[in-house]
Amino acid sequence: MTVSWEAPDGDHPARRAARASMEAAAGGRREEWLALFAPDAVVEDPVGPSMLDPEGKGHRGPDGRARFWDENIARVRKFHFQVKDSFANGPACANVVTITTTMDGGITMTIDCLTVYTVDENGLVTSFRAHWEPDRAMGTLTKA
Protein backbone atom coordinates (compact mmCIF):
# COMPACT_ATOMS: atom_id res chain seq x y z
CA MET A 1 0.00 0.00 0.00
CA THR A 2 2.21 2.74 -1.27
CA VAL A 3 2.39 5.99 -3.15
CA SER A 4 5.66 6.75 -4.96
CA TRP A 5 5.71 10.43 -5.88
CA GLU A 6 8.42 10.89 -8.52
CA ALA A 7 6.93 14.08 -9.96
CA PRO A 8 7.13 17.78 -9.13
CA ASP A 9 5.51 18.24 -5.75
CA GLY A 10 5.16 21.98 -5.27
CA ASP A 11 2.39 22.92 -2.89
CA HIS A 12 -0.96 23.32 -4.66
CA PRO A 13 -4.49 22.63 -3.32
CA ALA A 14 -5.40 20.18 -6.09
CA ARG A 15 -2.05 18.38 -5.79
CA ARG A 16 -2.59 18.04 -2.02
CA ALA A 17 -6.04 16.57 -2.71
CA ALA A 18 -4.60 14.16 -5.29
CA ARG A 19 -1.93 12.92 -2.90
CA ALA A 20 -4.45 12.59 -0.06
CA SER A 21 -6.81 10.63 -2.33
CA MET A 22 -4.12 8.17 -3.38
CA GLU A 23 -2.83 7.75 0.18
CA ALA A 24 -6.36 7.13 1.53
CA ALA A 25 -7.09 4.57 -1.21
CA ALA A 26 -3.74 2.84 -0.70
CA GLY A 27 -4.38 2.70 3.03
CA GLY A 28 -7.95 1.43 2.71
CA ARG A 29 -9.28 4.49 4.55
CA ARG A 30 -12.79 4.84 3.13
CA GLU A 31 -14.10 7.67 5.32
CA GLU A 32 -10.92 9.70 4.85
CA TRP A 33 -11.22 9.31 1.06
CA LEU A 34 -14.92 10.23 1.03
CA ALA A 35 -14.25 13.35 3.15
CA LEU A 36 -11.98 14.77 0.42
CA PHE A 37 -14.95 15.49 -1.87
CA ALA A 38 -17.40 18.39 -2.06
CA PRO A 39 -21.04 17.26 -1.66
CA ASP A 40 -21.88 17.47 -5.38
CA ALA A 41 -18.55 16.13 -6.66
CA VAL A 42 -18.32 13.54 -9.42
CA VAL A 43 -15.89 10.64 -9.84
CA GLU A 44 -15.24 9.42 -13.40
CA ASP A 45 -12.90 6.43 -13.18
CA PRO A 46 -12.48 5.74 -16.01
CA VAL A 47 -13.95 8.63 -18.01
CA GLY A 48 -16.76 7.43 -20.26
CA PRO A 49 -18.75 4.20 -20.41
CA SER A 50 -17.02 1.17 -18.89
CA MET A 51 -17.69 -1.91 -16.80
CA LEU A 52 -17.41 0.38 -13.74
CA ASP A 53 -19.90 2.93 -15.11
CA PRO A 54 -21.95 1.50 -18.02
CA GLU A 55 -23.67 4.82 -18.79
CA GLY A 56 -20.44 6.84 -18.52
CA LYS A 57 -22.07 9.53 -16.39
CA GLY A 58 -19.76 9.24 -13.39
CA HIS A 59 -20.41 8.49 -9.75
CA ARG A 60 -22.21 11.51 -8.33
CA GLY A 61 -22.97 12.72 -4.84
CA PRO A 62 -22.05 11.14 -1.51
CA ASP A 63 -23.99 7.92 -2.17
CA GLY A 64 -22.53 7.46 -5.65
CA ARG A 65 -18.98 7.97 -4.43
CA ALA A 66 -19.51 5.63 -1.46
CA ARG A 67 -20.87 2.95 -3.83
CA PHE A 68 -17.84 3.47 -6.10
CA TRP A 69 -15.53 2.85 -3.13
CA ASP A 70 -17.45 -0.21 -1.94
CA GLU A 71 -17.75 -1.80 -5.39
CA ASN A 72 -14.30 -0.96 -6.72
CA ILE A 73 -11.65 0.45 -4.40
CA ALA A 74 -12.56 -1.85 -1.50
CA ARG A 75 -12.04 -4.93 -3.70
CA VAL A 76 -8.36 -4.14 -4.16
CA ARG A 77 -6.14 -5.74 -1.51
CA LYS A 78 -3.05 -3.67 -2.33
CA PHE A 79 -2.40 -0.52 -4.34
CA HIS A 80 0.85 0.94 -5.60
CA PHE A 81 0.55 4.41 -7.14
CA GLN A 82 3.61 5.57 -9.09
CA VAL A 83 3.18 9.26 -9.93
CA LYS A 84 5.55 9.98 -12.80
CA ASP A 85 4.60 13.60 -13.55
CA SER A 86 2.27 16.24 -12.17
CA PHE A 87 0.95 19.50 -13.60
CA ALA A 88 -0.88 21.84 -11.22
CA ASN A 89 -2.46 25.10 -12.32
CA GLY A 90 -5.69 26.94 -11.71
CA PRO A 91 -8.04 24.78 -9.62
CA ALA A 92 -6.72 21.50 -11.07
CA CYS A 93 -3.86 19.03 -11.03
CA ALA A 94 -3.20 16.45 -13.75
CA ASN A 95 -0.97 13.49 -12.86
CA VAL A 96 0.64 10.84 -15.04
CA VAL A 97 0.26 7.70 -12.93
CA THR A 98 0.84 3.97 -13.11
CA ILE A 99 -1.38 2.12 -10.65
CA THR A 100 -0.67 -1.49 -9.80
CA THR A 101 -3.49 -3.29 -8.04
CA THR A 102 -3.40 -6.66 -6.32
CA MET A 103 -6.62 -8.57 -5.78
CA ASP A 104 -7.45 -11.75 -3.89
CA GLY A 105 -5.43 -14.73 -5.09
CA GLY A 106 -2.49 -12.53 -6.07
CA ILE A 107 -4.07 -11.31 -9.31
CA THR A 108 -2.47 -8.04 -10.39
CA MET A 109 -3.43 -5.41 -12.93
CA THR A 110 -1.49 -2.36 -14.08
CA ILE A 111 -3.32 0.80 -15.10
CA ASP A 112 -1.45 3.55 -16.93
CA CYS A 113 -3.50 6.70 -16.65
CA LEU A 114 -3.84 10.43 -16.45
CA THR A 115 -5.76 11.58 -13.38
CA VAL A 116 -7.24 15.06 -13.10
CA TYR A 117 -8.37 16.46 -9.76
CA THR A 118 -10.27 19.77 -9.62
CA VAL A 119 -10.90 21.45 -6.28
CA ASP A 120 -13.05 24.27 -4.95
CA GLU A 121 -11.92 27.28 -2.90
CA ASN A 122 -11.87 25.08 0.24
CA GLY A 123 -9.61 22.46 -1.34
CA LEU A 124 -12.41 19.88 -1.63
CA VAL A 125 -12.47 17.78 -4.79
CA THR A 126 -15.30 18.80 -7.15
CA SER A 127 -14.21 16.48 -9.96
CA PHE A 128 -11.94 13.45 -10.22
CA ARG A 129 -11.42 12.17 -13.76
CA ALA A 130 -9.19 9.19 -14.51
CA HIS A 131 -8.36 8.71 -18.18
CA TRP A 132 -7.39 5.08 -18.88
CA GLU A 133 -8.31 2.29 -21.24
CA PRO A 134 -9.99 -0.68 -19.54
CA ASP A 135 -9.09 -3.15 -22.31
CA ARG A 136 -5.45 -2.15 -22.11
CA ALA A 137 -5.46 -2.55 -18.31
CA MET A 138 -7.21 -5.94 -18.54
CA GLY A 139 -4.42 -7.07 -20.86
CA THR A 140 -1.97 -6.73 -17.97
CA LEU A 141 -3.75 -9.19 -15.65
CA THR A 142 -1.33 -11.65 -14.10
CA LYS A 143 -1.54 -14.18 -11.31
CA ALA A 144 1.34 -14.49 -8.88
Side-chain angles (χ1 to χ4, degrees), residues 75-100:
R75 295 177 187 234
V76 176
R77 297 296 163 240
K78 181 180 176 186
F79 280 100
H80 176 76
F81 294 88
Q82 181 186 16
V83 182
K84 299 175 180 180
D85 214 344
S86 180
F87 305 90
N89 55 350
C93 180
N95 300 304
V96 178
V97 185
T98 295
I99 305 167
T100 304

PDB file of all heavy atoms in Angstrom, residues 75-100:
ATOM      1  N   ARG A  75     -12.363  -3.587  -3.199  1.00  0.00           N
ATOM      2  CA  ARG A  75     -12.035  -4.933  -3.698  1.00  0.00           C
ATOM      3  C   ARG A  75     -10.538  -5.140  -3.907  1.00  0.00           C
ATOM      4  O   ARG A  75     -10.085  -6.268  -4.044  1.00  0.00           O
ATOM      5  CB  ARG A  75     -12.773  -5.197  -5.001  1.00  0.00           C
ATOM      6  CG  ARG A  75     -14.265  -5.248  -4.806  1.00  0.00           C
ATOM      7  CD  ARG A  75     -14.960  -5.443  -6.128  1.00  0.00           C
ATOM      8  NE  ARG A  75     -16.387  -5.321  -5.946  1.00  0.00           N
ATOM      9  CZ  ARG A  75     -17.253  -6.231  -6.322  1.00  0.00           C
ATOM     10  NH1 ARG A  75     -16.849  -7.331  -6.892  1.00  0.00           N
ATOM     11  NH2 ARG A  75     -18.530  -6.045  -6.127  1.00  0.00           N
ATOM     12  N   VAL A  76      -9.805  -4.051  -3.953  1.00  0.00           N
ATOM     13  CA  VAL A  76      -8.356  -4.137  -4.162  1.00  0.00           C
ATOM     14  C   VAL A  76      -7.688  -4.392  -2.811  1.00  0.00           C
ATOM     15  O   VAL A  76      -7.947  -3.692  -1.835  1.00  0.00           O
ATOM     16  CB  VAL A  76      -7.819  -2.844  -4.810  1.00  0.00           C
ATOM     17  CG1 VAL A  76      -6.308  -2.888  -4.940  1.00  0.00           C
ATOM     18  CG2 VAL A  76      -8.474  -2.623  -6.169  1.00  0.00           C
ATOM     19  N   ARG A  77      -6.834  -5.398  -2.757  1.00  0.00           N
ATOM     20  CA  ARG A  77      -6.139  -5.736  -1.511  1.00  0.00           C
ATOM     21  C   ARG A  77      -4.878  -4.899  -1.315  1.00  0.00           C
ATOM     22  O   ARG A  77      -4.474  -4.641  -0.197  1.00  0.00           O
ATOM     23  CB  ARG A  77      -5.779  -7.225  -1.487  1.00  0.00           C
ATOM     24  CG  ARG A  77      -6.961  -8.136  -1.509  1.00  0.00           C
ATOM     25  CD  ARG A  77      -7.807  -7.977  -0.251  1.00  0.00           C
ATOM     26  NE  ARG A  77      -9.127  -8.550  -0.454  1.00  0.00           N
ATOM     27  CZ  ARG A  77     -10.256  -7.864  -0.367  1.00  0.00           C
ATOM     28  NH1 ARG A  77     -10.244  -6.595  -0.087  1.00  0.00           N
ATOM     29  NH2 ARG A  77     -11.418  -8.453  -0.562  1.00  0.00           N
ATOM     30  N   LYS A  78      -4.277  -4.465  -2.427  1.00  0.00           N
ATOM     31  CA  LYS A  78      -3.048  -3.672  -2.329  1.00  0.00           C
ATOM     32  C   LYS A  78      -2.963  -2.758  -3.553  1.00  0.00           C
ATOM     33  O   LYS A  78      -3.201  -3.190  -4.669  1.00  0.00           O
ATOM     34  CB  LYS A  78      -1.827  -4.587  -2.279  1.00  0.00           C
ATOM     35  CG  LYS A  78      -0.518  -3.868  -2.153  1.00  0.00           C
ATOM     36  CD  LYS A  78       0.637  -4.848  -2.105  1.00  0.00           C
ATOM     37  CE  LYS A  78       1.963  -4.112  -2.087  1.00  0.00           C
ATOM     38  NZ  LYS A  78       3.081  -5.040  -2.172  1.00  0.00           N
ATOM     39  N   PHE A  79      -2.623  -1.501  -3.282  1.00  0.00           N
ATOM     40  CA  PHE A  79      -2.396  -0.524  -4.341  1.00  0.00           C
ATOM     41  C   PHE A  79      -0.939  -0.093  -4.319  1.00  0.00           C
ATOM     42  O   PHE A  79      -0.338   0.036  -3.248  1.00  0.00           O
ATOM     43  CB  PHE A  79      -3.198   0.764  -4.073  1.00  0.00           C
ATOM     44  CG  PHE A  79      -4.641   0.719  -4.441  1.00  0.00           C
ATOM     45  CD1 PHE A  79      -5.604   0.496  -3.469  1.00  0.00           C
ATOM     46  CD2 PHE A  79      -5.047   0.947  -5.739  1.00  0.00           C
ATOM     47  CE1 PHE A  79      -6.948   0.499  -3.783  1.00  0.00           C
ATOM     48  CE2 PHE A  79      -6.397   0.944  -6.070  1.00  0.00           C
ATOM     49  CZ  PHE A  79      -7.349   0.716  -5.085  1.00  0.00           C
ATOM     50  N   HIS A  80      -0.395   0.183  -5.504  1.00  0.00           N
ATOM     51  CA  HIS A  80       0.854   0.940  -5.602  1.00  0.00           C
ATOM     52  C   HIS A  80       0.617   2.011  -6.662  1.00  0.00           C
ATOM     53  O   HIS A  80       0.320   1.703  -7.819  1.00  0.00           O
ATOM     54  CB  HIS A  80       2.053   0.085  -5.995  1.00  0.00           C
ATOM     55  CG  HIS A  80       3.284   0.918  -6.179  1.00  0.00           C
ATOM     56  ND1 HIS A  80       3.991   1.425  -5.112  1.00  0.00           N
ATOM     57  CD2 HIS A  80       3.885   1.383  -7.286  1.00  0.00           C
ATOM     58  CE1 HIS A  80       4.997   2.145  -5.570  1.00  0.00           C
ATOM     59  NE2 HIS A  80       4.952   2.150  -6.892  1.00  0.00           N
ATOM     60  N   PHE A  81       0.686   3.273  -6.241  1.00  0.00           N
ATOM     61  CA  PHE A  81       0.546   4.411  -7.139  1.00  0.00           C
ATOM     62  C   PHE A  81       1.947   4.944  -7.420  1.00  0.00           C
ATOM     63  O   PHE A  81       2.670   5.300  -6.493  1.00  0.00           O
ATOM     64  CB  PHE A  81      -0.259   5.535  -6.483  1.00  0.00           C
ATOM     65  CG  PHE A  81      -1.693   5.195  -6.217  1.00  0.00           C
ATOM     66  CD1 PHE A  81      -2.073   4.575  -5.038  1.00  0.00           C
ATOM     67  CD2 PHE A  81      -2.673   5.522  -7.140  1.00  0.00           C
ATOM     68  CE1 PHE A  81      -3.399   4.281  -4.772  1.00  0.00           C
ATOM     69  CE2 PHE A  81      -4.009   5.229  -6.890  1.00  0.00           C
ATOM     70  CZ  PHE A  81      -4.366   4.608  -5.708  1.00  0.00           C
ATOM     71  N   GLN A  82       2.335   5.004  -8.681  1.00  0.00           N
ATOM     72  CA  GLN A  82       3.614   5.574  -9.087  1.00  0.00           C
ATOM     73  C   GLN A  82       3.296   6.828  -9.899  1.00  0.00           C
ATOM     74  O   GLN A  82       2.889   6.743 -11.056  1.00  0.00           O
ATOM     75  CB  GLN A  82       4.418   4.581  -9.922  1.00  0.00           C
ATOM     76  CG  GLN A  82       5.768   5.115 -10.346  1.00  0.00           C
ATOM     77  CD  GLN A  82       6.487   4.163 -11.285  1.00  0.00           C
ATOM     78  OE1 GLN A  82       5.895   3.254 -11.863  1.00  0.00           O
ATOM     79  NE2 GLN A  82       7.772   4.380 -11.444  1.00  0.00           N
ATOM     80  N   VAL A  83       3.475   7.993  -9.277  1.00  0.00           N
ATOM     81  CA  VAL A  83       3.182   9.261  -9.935  1.00  0.00           C
ATOM     82  C   VAL A  83       4.446   9.707 -10.651  1.00  0.00           C
ATOM     83  O   VAL A  83       5.448  10.040 -10.017  1.00  0.00           O
ATOM     84  CB  VAL A  83       2.712  10.321  -8.919  1.00  0.00           C
ATOM     85  CG1 VAL A  83       2.357  11.620  -9.631  1.00  0.00           C
ATOM     86  CG2 VAL A  83       1.531   9.795  -8.117  1.00  0.00           C
ATOM     87  N   LYS A  84       4.377   9.707 -11.979  1.00  0.00           N
ATOM     88  CA  LYS A  84       5.550   9.979 -12.800  1.00  0.00           C
ATOM     89  C   LYS A  84       5.684  11.443 -13.179  1.00  0.00           C
ATOM     90  O   LYS A  84       6.788  11.920 -13.430  1.00  0.00           O
ATOM     91  CB  LYS A  84       5.496   9.117 -14.059  1.00  0.00           C
ATOM     92  CG  LYS A  84       5.499   7.635 -13.742  1.00  0.00           C
ATOM     93  CD  LYS A  84       5.311   6.809 -14.987  1.00  0.00           C
ATOM     94  CE  LYS A  84       5.305   5.330 -14.657  1.00  0.00           C
ATOM     95  NZ  LYS A  84       5.125   4.515 -15.853  1.00  0.00           N
ATOM     96  N   ASP A  85       4.562  12.167 -13.248  1.00  0.00           N
ATOM     97  CA  ASP A  85       4.599  13.597 -13.548  1.00  0.00           C
ATOM     98  C   ASP A  85       3.332  14.228 -13.004  1.00  0.00           C
ATOM     99  O   ASP A  85       2.327  13.538 -12.791  1.00  0.00           O
ATOM    100  CB  ASP A  85       4.736  13.848 -15.055  1.00  0.00           C
ATOM    101  CG  ASP A  85       5.557  15.098 -15.363  1.00  0.00           C
ATOM    102  OD1 ASP A  85       5.753  15.935 -14.445  1.00  0.00           O
ATOM    103  OD2 ASP A  85       6.017  15.236 -16.507  1.00  0.00           O
ATOM    104  N   SER A  86       3.394  15.532 -12.769  1.00  0.00           N
ATOM    105  CA  SER A  86       2.272  16.236 -12.171  1.00  0.00           C
ATOM    106  C   SER A  86       2.276  17.678 -12.654  1.00  0.00           C
ATOM    107  O   SER A  86       3.324  18.338 -12.641  1.00  0.00           O
ATOM    108  CB  SER A  86       2.386  16.185 -10.641  1.00  0.00           C
ATOM    109  OG  SER A  86       1.306  16.850 -10.029  1.00  0.00           O
ATOM    110  N   PHE A  87       1.095  18.144 -13.081  1.00  0.00           N
ATOM    111  CA  PHE A  87       0.951  19.496 -13.601  1.00  0.00           C
ATOM    112  C   PHE A  87      -0.191  20.169 -12.846  1.00  0.00           C
ATOM    113  O   PHE A  87      -1.346  19.774 -13.008  1.00  0.00           O
ATOM    114  CB  PHE A  87       0.630  19.461 -15.099  1.00  0.00           C
ATOM    115  CG  PHE A  87       1.632  18.685 -15.898  1.00  0.00           C
ATOM    116  CD1 PHE A  87       1.458  17.319 -16.110  1.00  0.00           C
ATOM    117  CD2 PHE A  87       2.762  19.303 -16.410  1.00  0.00           C
ATOM    118  CE1 PHE A  87       2.379  16.590 -16.835  1.00  0.00           C
ATOM    119  CE2 PHE A  87       3.696  18.581 -17.143  1.00  0.00           C
ATOM    120  CZ  PHE A  87       3.506  17.226 -17.355  1.00  0.00           C
ATOM    121  N   ALA A  88       0.127  21.155 -12.023  1.00  0.00           N
ATOM    122  CA  ALA A  88      -0.880  21.836 -11.222  1.00  0.00           C
ATOM    123  C   ALA A  88      -0.984  23.291 -11.663  1.00  0.00           C
ATOM    124  O   ALA A  88       0.025  24.004 -11.718  1.00  0.00           O
ATOM    125  CB  ALA A  88      -0.521  21.755  -9.742  1.00  0.00           C
ATOM    126  N   ASN A  89      -2.209  23.698 -12.012  1.00  0.00           N
ATOM    127  CA  ASN A  89      -2.457  25.098 -12.320  1.00  0.00           C
ATOM    128  C   ASN A  89      -3.947  25.363 -12.197  1.00  0.00           C
ATOM    129  O   ASN A  89      -4.764  24.458 -12.310  1.00  0.00           O
ATOM    130  CB  ASN A  89      -1.927  25.481 -13.706  1.00  0.00           C
ATOM    131  CG  ASN A  89      -2.473  24.613 -14.814  1.00  0.00           C
ATOM    132  OD1 ASN A  89      -3.111  23.605 -14.567  1.00  0.00           O
ATOM    133  ND2 ASN A  89      -2.225  24.992 -16.041  1.00  0.00           N
ATOM    134  N   GLY A  90      -4.286  26.607 -11.947  1.00  0.00           N
ATOM    135  CA  GLY A  90      -5.687  26.937 -11.714  1.00  0.00           C
ATOM    136  C   GLY A  90      -6.224  26.079 -10.582  1.00  0.00           C
ATOM    137  O   GLY A  90      -5.508  25.799  -9.615  1.00  0.00           O
ATOM    138  N   PRO A  91      -7.463  25.604 -10.686  1.00  0.00           N
ATOM    139  CA  PRO A  91      -8.038  24.784  -9.623  1.00  0.00           C
ATOM    140  C   PRO A  91      -7.776  23.291  -9.800  1.00  0.00           C
ATOM    141  O   PRO A  91      -8.396  22.475  -9.128  1.00  0.00           O
ATOM    142  CB  PRO A  91      -9.534  25.071  -9.749  1.00  0.00           C
ATOM    143  CG  PRO A  91      -9.720  25.261 -11.225  1.00  0.00           C
ATOM    144  CD  PRO A  91      -8.456  25.975 -11.693  1.00  0.00           C
ATOM    145  N   ALA A  92      -6.859  22.919 -10.719  1.00  0.00           N
ATOM    146  CA  ALA A  92      -6.720  21.503 -11.066  1.00  0.00           C
ATOM    147  C   ALA A  92      -5.276  21.016 -11.025  1.00  0.00           C
ATOM    148  O   ALA A  92      -4.331  21.796 -11.056  1.00  0.00           O
ATOM    149  CB  ALA A  92      -7.301  21.259 -12.461  1.00  0.00           C
ATOM    150  N   CYS A  93      -5.152  19.697 -10.965  1.00  0.00           N
ATOM    151  CA  CYS A  93      -3.862  19.025 -11.033  1.00  0.00           C
ATOM    152  C   CYS A  93      -4.039  17.772 -11.879  1.00  0.00           C
ATOM    153  O   CYS A  93      -4.932  16.965 -11.608  1.00  0.00           O
ATOM    154  CB  CYS A  93      -3.382  18.649  -9.632  1.00  0.00           C
ATOM    155  SG  CYS A  93      -1.788  17.819  -9.621  1.00  0.00           S
ATOM    156  N   ALA A  94      -3.189  17.641 -12.897  1.00  0.00           N
ATOM    157  CA  ALA A  94      -3.197  16.448 -13.746  1.00  0.00           C
ATOM    158  C   ALA A  94      -1.938  15.653 -13.445  1.00  0.00           C
ATOM    159  O   ALA A  94      -0.836  16.220 -13.406  1.00  0.00           O
ATOM    160  CB  ALA A  94      -3.241  16.840 -15.220  1.00  0.00           C
ATOM    161  N   ASN A  95      -2.098  14.356 -13.221  1.00  0.00           N
ATOM    162  CA  ASN A  95      -0.974  13.492 -12.864  1.00  0.00           C
ATOM    163  C   ASN A  95      -0.865  12.334 -13.849  1.00  0.00           C
ATOM    164  O   ASN A  95      -1.868  11.729 -14.215  1.00  0.00           O
ATOM    165  CB  ASN A  95      -1.170  12.910 -11.458  1.00  0.00           C
ATOM    166  CG  ASN A  95      -1.274  13.991 -10.416  1.00  0.00           C
ATOM    167  OD1 ASN A  95      -0.404  14.834 -10.285  1.00  0.00           O
ATOM    168  ND2 ASN A  95      -2.370  13.984  -9.679  1.00  0.00           N
ATOM    169  N   VAL A  96       0.360  12.026 -14.239  1.00  0.00           N
ATOM    170  CA  VAL A  96       0.643  10.844 -15.040  1.00  0.00           C
ATOM    171  C   VAL A  96       0.984   9.749 -14.037  1.00  0.00           C
ATOM    172  O   VAL A  96       1.966   9.876 -13.289  1.00  0.00           O
ATOM    173  CB  VAL A  96       1.814  11.096 -16.013  1.00  0.00           C
ATOM    174  CG1 VAL A  96       2.124   9.837 -16.810  1.00  0.00           C
ATOM    175  CG2 VAL A  96       1.490  12.272 -16.934  1.00  0.00           C
ATOM    176  N   VAL A  97       0.172   8.686 -14.002  1.00  0.00           N
ATOM    177  CA  VAL A  97       0.258   7.696 -12.929  1.00  0.00           C
ATOM    178  C   VAL A  97       0.216   6.276 -13.504  1.00  0.00           C
ATOM    179  O   VAL A  97      -0.520   6.007 -14.445  1.00  0.00           O
ATOM    180  CB  VAL A  97      -0.925   7.851 -11.945  1.00  0.00           C
ATOM    181  CG1 VAL A  97      -0.790   6.909 -10.759  1.00  0.00           C
ATOM    182  CG2 VAL A  97      -1.074   9.282 -11.470  1.00  0.00           C
ATOM    183  N   THR A  98       0.994   5.401 -12.891  1.00  0.00           N
ATOM    184  CA  THR A  98       0.835   3.966 -13.107  1.00  0.00           C
ATOM    185  C   THR A  98       0.349   3.388 -11.786  1.00  0.00           C
ATOM    186  O   THR A  98       0.981   3.588 -10.743  1.00  0.00           O
ATOM    187  CB  THR A  98       2.160   3.302 -13.529  1.00  0.00           C
ATOM    188  OG1 THR A  98       2.551   3.826 -14.799  1.00  0.00           O
ATOM    189  CG2 THR A  98       2.006   1.794 -13.642  1.00  0.00           C
ATOM    190  N   ILE A  99      -0.786   2.717 -11.840  1.00  0.00           N
ATOM    191  CA  ILE A  99      -1.381   2.119 -10.645  1.00  0.00           C
ATOM    192  C   ILE A  99      -1.304   0.609 -10.794  1.00  0.00           C
ATOM    193  O   ILE A  99      -1.796   0.055 -11.781  1.00  0.00           O
ATOM    194  CB  ILE A  99      -2.858   2.542 -10.476  1.00  0.00           C
ATOM    195  CG1 ILE A  99      -2.985   4.065 -10.474  1.00  0.00           C
ATOM    196  CG2 ILE A  99      -3.443   1.923  -9.207  1.00  0.00           C
ATOM    197  CD1 ILE A  99      -4.414   4.555 -10.624  1.00  0.00           C
ATOM    198  N   THR A 100      -0.691  -0.035  -9.826  1.00  0.00           N
ATOM    199  CA  THR A 100      -0.665  -1.489  -9.800  1.00  0.00           C
ATOM    200  C   THR A 100      -1.582  -1.940  -8.680  1.00  0.00           C
ATOM    201  O   THR A 100      -1.429  -1.505  -7.535  1.00  0.00           O
ATOM    202  CB  THR A 100       0.761  -2.017  -9.582  1.00  0.00           C
ATOM    203  OG1 THR A 100       1.605  -1.486 -10.609  1.00  0.00           O
ATOM    204  CG2 THR A 100       0.801  -3.536  -9.639  1.00  0.00           C
TER     205      THR A 100
END
